[in-house]
Amino acid sequence: MKKQIISIALLLAGAAGTLTSCENWLDVTSGSEIRAEDHFKNTEGFRQALIGCYIGMTDETLYGKDMSWLVPEMLGQQFEPYSIGVAATSREHYLQTYTYGTTSVKSFIDASWAKAYNVIVNANEALYYIDKNREVLNDTDYSVIKGELLAIRAYIHLDLARMFGYGNWGARKAEIDAKNAVPYVTTVSKNMTAQVSMSDFFTLLTEDLDEAARLLKAEDPIAEAHEWSYYADMNEDGFYNWRNLHLNYYAVRALQARAYLWEGSAESKELALQAAEEVIEGFLAMDGKIGNYNHFAWMTSSDVPSYPALALEQVFALNVATLRDLTATFFIENYTDNDNMPLYIIPEDVQSIYEGITSDWRSQNNLLQQTASGASSAGYTSKKYNQNSTSGYYGNRVPLIRLPEMYYIAAECYATGSTPNLGLAMERLNTVREKRGIYTPLTGLDAAQIMEEVAKEYRKEFIAEGVMFYFYKRLGYETVPHRTEPMDDSKYVVPYPDFETQMGRVQ
């Protein structure tokens, strides 16, 4: 049976052949109950099913490409607009112009929606059997695997709600509470899951996250629930290594912070702040500590070539074995006019985003690289997915939660919560700014000014990570870069797939 165990070390190395059994399981879970019973008769089967869910999340229709560094970046206007005259980028142009009815955009919607629920179904099947076959798992494997499965289910549902649901929830709570949510699917059934209100959706989401956090806090190595030696016998296959490639305890707390802030009520902001501060405290306790479960540290500019996508600051990331191929035509350091698809930012925008602060190493040749090819638009492209680094343990990583987001969430909650603390809000922002080379602290700002700085920091920090669209949407921004028309629900709310509305789903 040990030959069937999927090693995290092999997953990191992108050993696709070794993962075949796991991928096959992902494809056939809608098959016979007999096969499922056989698969979930031991620890290895549950571990395989969990890793299979993560592999599903790396699909290019999900976080390998479309739901991470590409589509949200198009919707958030992070890069120079594409021209409709180039056939290769027609989908991206239509996304940038919120033209959702075109064939190419509908294809993205259909594929991403279907794959997202495919992963959720696989997680649900494993969750069903993990309690049915509880006796085959020790307490640690049970708690960690179940906690991660619940977190996967919550993570994907939240992103579906952020993409296909309504934003600015905090400012129009009664209206959005009553709206229909994307289906929150918790069982494996041939019957359609009934839609619930956004208020009930949020209850289901937070229940999953609360249970995941409880389970993981009790047994997760990253939470130092036990001495590392305790895990040795259970870790022959490396399952408990590289905890930030799993939805670990701190990743779940970070996801709770993100979810509560998305809902945006005063009560939720308090809970978001508590979660964000716990992640910050936990990270600081591990800063520079090297263990079997991870290596966390604040990064410097000199670290970037060895740890692309700011890997040491990733609270949760996915290892995408095909990342080099997926990014090859989008992030081209020395692109030419013959390259149709490079994502770049013109020099004037870089100057504006980074406010001309040359000490901020995010704006220099560390994370942004200006083409030296003589292209007519000699802009800057992101180096987070540097083609020279997409190999080994760190090169194929797509970040889904990074530490600075927790500082920004904390700053926002301190500034706009029911009991504001503007000093702590600025302190949280100043910490990240200093780590990025900005040594002039923010002082004397009011809440509105702090929120302006929060917005600036998000844009500086998260280029090519799919974050800004959700930031604008969450706060109901009426204007976004590169667009002159006002933003509203018709642009922020990506429509459901046609096959869902034809079956009676209401958006």
Side-chain angles (χ1 to χ4, degrees), residues 130-148:
I130 203 168
D131 284 321
K132 184 178 182 181
N133 299 345
R134 170 68 180 87
E135 71 280 358
V136 306
L137 296 168
N138 62 45
D139 289 345
T140 298
D141 281 325
Y142 173 81
S143 293
V144 171
I145 294 171
K146 184 176 181 180
E148 289 185 40

Side-chain angles (χ1 to χ4, degrees), residues 24-37 121-122 125 129 188 190:
N24 288 344
W25 171 249
L26 199 71
D27 291 337
V28 301
T29 51
S30 59
S32 71
E33 185 175 344
I34 294 174
R35 187 186 187 286
E37 289 279 6
V121 165
N122 281 277
E125 184 134 32
Y129 281 100
V188 180
K190 294 179 181 178

Side-chain angles (χ1 to χ4, degrees), residues 14 49 74 85 112 192 224 227 240 242 253 389 414 444 446:
M74 298 296 96
S112 294
M192 285 180 58
E224 300 187 302
E227 295 291 331
Y240 283 100
W242 301 103
R253 290 295 282 153
S389 301
Y414 281 129
D446 61 26

